[in-house]
Amino acid sequence: MLKASDLFHLSYYQKAHFTGSIRGMRYYIEKADPDGTPLFRVWIFPGPFCFDKTDRAQKESKLFAFEEASLPLIADWLNEQYETRADFWNQHRSLLGS
C-alpha cells in the first residue's frame, strides 16, 4: 500500500502535480487555492485513462491542508479508498496489463 514517504515533499507541489495508481485506482494530487487558501486537492478516478481523458463524473476529490503533516493523511485516505472498493478498482487496471 501507499506510504507517506511515497509522496513528494511539500515544495514539489508548489510547482507541479503528482499522479500515480494503486491497481486500477488512479490518483492526482495538486495544490489548489480556493478562496486564496492553499490546500491539497486529491483526486481519485478509475483507470485506464489519464486524468484529463477521464470523465469528470468518474472523479472524486478531497481537500487537505497544504502542509507536510497532511501527507500521511493523504496516503491513508488513498489506501482507504482503494481497500473499500478494491473489486471496482481492479476492473479498471492499465491497458498494458500491469
Side-chain angles (χ1 to χ4, degrees):
M1 297 313 307
L2 192 67
K3 300 177 292 217
S5 61
D6 295 327
L7 305 174
F8 291 113
H9 291 284
L10 194 64
S11 60
Y12 174 87
Y13 299 99
Q14 295 281 3
K15 298 182 184 208
H17 63 268
F18 179 69
T19 62
S21 66
I22 304 170
R23 296 186 276 311
M25 183 186 82
R26 295 189 180 265
Y27 56 88
Y28 182 101
I29 304 170
E30 64 181 344
K31 179 183 176 190
D33 289 314
D35 303 324
T37 303
L39 299 168
F40 279 111
R41 178 175 285 131
V42 182
W43 297 89
I44 57 171
F45 57 98
F49 302 113
C50 70
F51 184 80
D52 292 336
K53 298 297 182 185
T54 300
D55 187 320
R56 185 164 174 83
Q58 293 185 295
K59 298 174 186 175
E60 299 174 42
S61 69
K62 183 169 181 174
L63 296 171
F64 295 86
F66 192 73
E67 55 191 43
E68 288 285 334
S70 293
L71 296 173
L73 302 174
I74 291 169
D76 290 345
W77 183 74
L78 289 169
N79 289 327
E80 178 184 305
Q81 295 306 304
Y82 175 77
E83 290 169 3
T84 58
R85 296 183 276 171
D87 290 338
F88 171 76
W89 300 119
N90 284 320
Q91 293 172 18
H92 296 88
R93 294 184 125 192
S94 169
L95 294 173
L96 300 175
S98 60

